[in-house]
């Protein structure tokens, strides 16, 4: 439940929405209602409304995660690899970039040194870096960077739907064919989900496809998830009907978030993922008490709908 690459990018962007990106509240900064939706925050709310509140409104700190941090380093390597001429994009060269990208990230976020506290001989760090290097090398068995010239890398996208809902996020890579077809690519450092869970994995990609469609007027030809942990590539070719369905889902989701924000009714939704949550001390499911709600709240008319139940969205 630690820092994500999307959070890292949003914080660096420094624009609207950066208030929801940090690992903890800044002294003197007042809590504000959410003003936009990103794929990660949408997934947070669908997973557990209370988790969304802790991250977006309360901005509770979270411990650095070795897995998420490794993912950030790997993403940085795969982004910057394309700065080199095509013939110089080699697996050996990419592996050699890993330690340097880790040092750059550590300089930006010194608290990540906590991940290797007590590692006097550097053995754990060496193992962690080797794992990151292995993920980078595996990518070369899935795609050939010498034949790719991305149109965009780590592309920040933002659009406002007709409803007024603002959507934003960062896309790992956008490829544009000579004939104009657009492919959206996302790197995952974990393993591919089982087929029955593939739809959940594609939610983020359909979100990005919707934003790109609204921004550029073209439905992306292909969505591609590259799973470096298992060496799988998951693809999906969306249509307008798919993206309209995603838009309807996001509007319903945003309405549920709006209602929870106004009423202060953020109910936990227990799942197996709770065991990895950093906020157990504040969660009623674990005997904790949430912080005092920092926004003005009013009771919902008619009692409102339970915010912990997302089956209808």
């Amino acid at each position: 439940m630690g820092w994500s690459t999307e959070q890292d990018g949003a914080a660096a962007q420094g624009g609207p929405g950066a208030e929801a990106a940090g690992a903890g509240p800044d002294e003197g900064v007042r809590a504000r209602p959410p003003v936009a939706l990103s794929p990660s925050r949408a997934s947070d709310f669908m997973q557990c409304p209370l988790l969304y509140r802790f991250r977006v409104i309360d901005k509770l700190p979270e411990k650095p995660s070795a897995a998420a941090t490794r993912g950030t380093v790997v993403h940085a390597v795969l982004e910057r690899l394309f700065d080199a001429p095509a013939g110089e994009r080699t697996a050996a060269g990419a592996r050699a970039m890993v330690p340097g990208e880790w040092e750059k990230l550590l300089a930006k976020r010194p608290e990540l040194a906590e991940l290797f506290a007590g590692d006097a001989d550097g053995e754990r760090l060496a193992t962690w870096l080797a794992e990151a290097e292995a993920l980078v090398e595996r990518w070369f068995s899935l795609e050939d960077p010498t034949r790719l010239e991305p149109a965009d890398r780590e592309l920040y996208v933002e659009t406002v739907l007709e409803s007024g809902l603002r959507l934003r996020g960062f896309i790992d890579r956008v490829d544009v064919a000579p004939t104009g077809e657009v492919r959206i690519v996302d790197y995952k450092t974990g393993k591919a989900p089982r087929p029955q869970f593939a739809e959940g994995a594609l939610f983020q990609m359909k979100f990005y496809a919707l934003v790109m469609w609204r921004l550029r007027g073209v439905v992306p030809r292909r969505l591609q998830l590259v799973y470096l942990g298992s060496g799988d590539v998951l693809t999906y070719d969306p249509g307008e009907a798919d993206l309209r369905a995603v838009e309807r889902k996001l509007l319903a989701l945003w309405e549920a978030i709006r209602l929870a924000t106004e009423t202060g009714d953020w109910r936990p939704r227990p799942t197996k993922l709770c065991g990895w949550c950093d906020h157990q001390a504040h969660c009623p499911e674990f005997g904790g008490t949430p912080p005092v709600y920092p926004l003005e709240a009013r009771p919902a008319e008619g009692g409102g709908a339970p915010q912990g139940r997302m089956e209808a969205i």
Side-chain angles (χ1 to χ4, degrees):
M1 293 292 184
W3 186 278
S4 69
T5 53
E6 177 182 307
Q7 288 173 309
D8 196 30
Q13 184 74 16
E19 71 274 7
D26 293 328
E27 188 174 349
V29 175
R30 295 178 59 188
R32 287 182 282 178
V35 297
L37 198 58
S38 70
S40 291
R41 301 294 77 81
S43 295
D44 284 346
F45 191 83
M46 289 188 288
Q47 176 186 323
C48 174
L50 187 58
L51 173 64
Y52 177 98
R53 177 201 149 169
F54 286 158
R55 284 180 164 169
V56 176
I57 295 178
D58 297 297
K59 305 179 184 66
L60 296 183
E62 297 184 348
K63 297 177 183 177
S65 159
T69 304
R70 182 171 53 236
T72 301
V73 170
V74 170
H75 276 73
V77 170
L78 298 185
E79 176 194 358
R80 293 179 181 117
L81 179 70
F82 287 101
D83 291 339
E88 298 177 15
R89 299 169 193 165
T90 65
R95 286 180 65 108
M97 294 170 64
V98 169
E101 293 302 329
W102 160 240
E103 292 297 333
K104 290 178 186 177
L105 181 61
L106 187 60
K108 287 169 51 180
R109 296 185 52 211
E111 72 275 12
L112 293 178
E114 299 174 18
L115 293 171
F116 304 103
D119 185 28
D121 59 3
E123 184 176 349
R124 284 195 290 117
L125 174 59
T127 298
W128 182 84
L129 289 171
E131 292 168 347
E133 291 169 3
L135 291 172
V136 167
E137 185 167 19
R138 178 170 286 159
W139 176 65
F140 283 78
S141 69
L142 305 174
E143 296 190 284
D144 181 358
T146 66
R147 303 180 64 182
L148 294 171
E149 292 297 341
D152 296 286
R153 291 169 279 152
E154 280 298 310
L155 176 66
Y156 177 73
V157 291
E158 181 174 324
T159 192
V160 179
L161 303 179
E162 290 182 2
S163 63
L165 172 58
R166 185 179 300 273
L167 305 177
R168 60 164 62 107
F170 284 83
I171 301 175
D172 287 346
R173 197 179 88 216
V174 178
D175 300 330
V176 180
T179 50
E181 289 96 341
V182 174
R183 177 172 65 181
I184 296 177
V185 180
D186 192 74
Y187 309 120
K188 300 294 185 185
T189 50
K191 297 180 179 180
R194 292 195 293 264
Q196 61 266 40
F197 299 114
E199 183 59 33
L202 284 168
F203 170 76
Q204 173 190 17
M205 303 302 285
K206 291 181 180 181
F207 182 110
Y208 290 141
L210 171 62
V211 174
M212 292 290 282
W213 181 33
R214 295 309 188 199
L215 282 175
R216 302 185 180 182
V218 177
V219 175
R221 175 69 178 82
R222 173 153 293 181
L223 310 178
Q224 181 166 302
L225 283 159
V226 181
Y227 286 94
L228 304 177
S230 57
D232 295 298
V233 176
L234 175 64
T235 62
Y236 184 81
D237 297 341
E240 288 191 14
D242 288 313
L243 303 188
R244 293 187 191 281
V246 171
E247 184 170 354
R248 290 193 297 271
K249 180 174 183 174
L250 291 173
L251 291 176
L253 184 64
W254 189 247
E255 177 59 23
I257 291 173
R258 184 197 62 79
L259 178 61
T261 302
E262 291 183 355
T263 63
D265 184 6
W266 302 90
R267 302 185 188 181
R269 183 171 183 253
T271 68
K272 294 180 180 179
L273 297 175
C274 291
W276 285 273
C277 185
D278 282 338
H279 306 302
Q280 294 179 9
H282 296 286
C283 180
E285 293 294 320
F286 291 86
T289 302
V292 174
Y293 191 53
L295 301 175
E296 182 179 353
R298 60 176 178 78
E301 295 182 6
Q307 295 303 306
R309 296 183 181 177
M310 305 302 300
E311 289 84 358
I313 293 180

